[in-house]
Amino acid sequence: MLKDGGRWYVSFRVEDGLAESTPNGGPPVGVDRGVQVAVATSDGWMRDRRFITPGEAARLKRLQQQLARRRKGSNRRAATKAKIGMLNARIRNRRTDFVAWTADRLTRSHELVIVEDLKVTNMTVSAKGAREAPGSRVRQKAGLNRAILAKGWGGLLTTIEHKARYNGSRIVRVPAAYTSQCCSACGRVDAKSRESQAVFVCTSCAYTGNVDVNAAKNILAAGLAVTGRGDLAFGRSVKRQPPEAEAA
């Protein structure tokens, strides 16, 4: 039993008795999860959504400020906490809806869905550190953590794996190393190729494309190599190591 946003919920886990669906025959796809765009695929499909409106963000900030001023244990503090809980529940519901729709679309359209094996829990650990050994770039890391959690990275993968069982799809996880720095056209790994959060321009072959889509293509290539299905249009598996420095 769980209380969320002023409402009580009860969940039951039962065996549905359904067998896994037969493969749906759709083409394989690589999926990249990002902080600018929530989902980008190797075939160029991109999906994102704002889960909180500007007005709600301003109201949430005001409520959090009110909560800090309220006396602990007071009725006013409890009322403010309830309002914050209801607003956060609304945001979570939108994220859940987004994740469910996206996962259903991916697993219905593709027989093989390849994703990065990201340890989201570890990635979102605070960089604050301890008093004896304080962390560095704490504020920047906190902002990244919020962005990752806001996009629902962990929930998306869980939902994709659940939907795959019923939609005739299979999920493959691949290492995430260098997928955002590797050129999907020539395989060159260079951090300088990422001109911005949105634009990828290869320093070797001048291939230009969206950063997230380029990463999704690398994820696809890596997954196809792992499953032994070949690299299809890419003609090679993604490189996993950065190139050696050229001699001076």
Side-chain angles (χ1 to χ4, degrees), residues 28-39:
V29 69
V31 178
D32 179 71
R33 288 165 285 175
V35 295
Q36 294 296 317
V37 177
V39 177

Side-chain angles (χ1 to χ4, degrees), residues 8-22:
W8 286 97
Y9 295 86
V10 178
S11 62
F12 299 92
R13 183 175 181 179
V14 298
E15 177 58 52
D16 56 22
L18 298 177
E20 292 188 7
S21 301
T22 57

Side-chain angles (χ1 to χ4, degrees), residues 46-116:
M46 304 176 74
R47 179 165 169 78
D48 196 24
R49 179 182 175 183
R50 182 189 294 272
F51 302 118
I52 182 171
T53 67
E56 287 172 336
R59 181 166 182 261
L60 181 59
K61 184 177 180 178
R62 288 196 302 270
L63 288 171
Q64 289 170 337
Q65 291 171 342
Q66 287 180 12
L67 184 67
R69 295 193 297 265
R70 302 300 189 198
R71 180 171 54 84
K72 291 185 177 181
S74 67
N75 291 334
R76 288 187 175 183
R77 182 180 175 84
T80 302
K81 287 183 66 176
K83 291 178 182 178
I84 292 175
M86 293 179 66
L87 183 53
N88 282 329
R90 190 183 307 164
I91 296 167
R92 285 194 297 273
N93 288 340
R94 291 174 187 153
R95 187 180 298 113
T96 299
D97 177 73
F98 170 85
V99 163
W101 189 97
T102 303
D104 189 66
R105 195 268 191 187
L106 289 171
T107 54
R108 284 184 182 275
S109 303
H110 303 282
E111 181 181 325
L112 182 65
V113 179
I114 305 166
V115 298
E116 291 176 301

Side-chain angles (χ1 to χ4, degrees), residues 227-243:
T227 59
R229 296 182 60 175
D231 286 351
L232 296 182
F234 299 100
R236 90 288 180 266
S237 299
V238 61
K239 293 183 179 179
R240 287 297 167 193
Q241 297 295 331

Side-chain angles (χ1 to χ4, degrees), residues 12 43 78 80 84 90 97 106 135 146 157-158 165 174 189:
F12 299 92
D43 57 9
T80 302
I84 292 175
R90 190 183 307 164
D97 177 73
L106 289 171
R146 287 193 296 270
L157 179 55
T158 300
R165 180 187 176 195
V174 298
V189 178

